[in-house]
Amino acid sequence: MSKSENTLLMLEAALDRISQGKPKRIPATRKLSVRAVEEEANLGNGSGYYYPEFVEKVKQVKTEIAAGKGERVQPEIQNVRLKLNEQKRIKQNYKEKYEAVREQLANFAAAQHHLNDKLVQSLARIEELEFENSNLKEKVTELNRSKIVPIK
């Protein structure tokens, strides 16, 4: 057997172990890929790509595994688009929450300003009433003093 035949046999054996869910060198939870099969076969990076029919077999096994689990294998661009749409949805959700909180903050600030204005007006009115009260007390005192008559 030549070296390329040995390599192909090692790759095939590794693919079989992974498809059965009993890998030796990689975690069983790892996604199936040519690189995962290469690591399971203890081969170098890219050595599986010398065998295009093997790469197609890996893709076919990956599709079969996904079909067995009820999943649909999607091309990478669709996965990226789905992730992008999910990120856009999350960003829009945060933006809406931010705008709602910002509007609520503006309402609180307006209410605070309104209350502060009322407080200033009330304090000014209290000062006016206290001044008027002191003037009235002085007048009452003057009136009471004018009613006093000397005793003879």
Side-chain angles (χ1 to χ4, degrees):
M1 275 192 176
S2 68
K3 185 176 179 182
S4 65
E5 289 174 347
N6 285 338
T7 303
L8 187 58
L9 285 175
M10 291 170 61
L11 289 169
E12 295 282 347
L15 179 61
D16 288 339
R17 287 194 302 270
I18 292 172
S19 64
Q20 293 171 5
K22 300 175 183 175
K24 293 179 182 176
R25 293 184 178 92
I26 64 170
T29 57
R30 183 169 173 182
K31 290 183 179 180
L32 178 61
S33 65
V34 176
R35 180 67 190 134
V37 175
E38 291 169 349
E39 286 182 19
E40 176 63 22
N42 202 20
L43 295 173
N45 190 6
S47 57
Y49 289 101
Y50 287 105
Y51 309 97
E53 63 278 350
F54 175 74
V55 173
E56 288 302 317
K57 186 174 182 181
V58 169
K59 289 180 183 178
Q60 181 183 9
V61 170
K62 186 176 182 179
T63 305
E64 290 170 3
I65 289 173
K69 293 180 181 176
E71 298 174 357
R72 196 180 94 217
V73 175
Q74 298 177 340
E76 188 174 334
I77 189 74
Q78 286 179 332
N79 286 335
V80 171
R81 283 185 183 149
L82 286 175
K83 288 179 183 177
L84 179 65
N85 289 338
E86 179 68 14
Q87 289 174 354
K88 284 181 182 179
R89 185 189 64 76
I90 291 170
K91 185 177 179 180
Q92 184 64 29
N93 188 16
Y94 281 126
K95 189 174 184 180
E96 289 170 2
K97 286 181 182 178
Y98 170 78
E99 291 298 327
V101 170
R102 187 174 173 192
E103 183 178 333
Q104 190 178 24
L105 179 63
N107 290 340
F108 286 151
Q112 179 69 22
H113 180 71
H114 179 70
L115 289 173
N116 192 31
D117 187 47
K118 290 291 185 185
L119 177 64
V120 168
Q121 290 175 359
S122 298
L123 289 174
R125 180 72 178 137
I126 288 171
E127 194 174 308
E128 289 174 15
L129 291 174
E130 285 176 347
F131 181 73
E132 185 179 342
N133 189 21
S134 66
N135 285 341
L136 289 174
K137 281 182 181 178
E138 287 177 15
K139 285 183 182 178
V140 167
T141 305
E142 288 296 323
L143 284 174
N144 284 341
R145 284 184 183 159
S146 66
K147 289 181 183 178
I148 297 177
V149 280
I151 300 179
K152 295 188 182 172

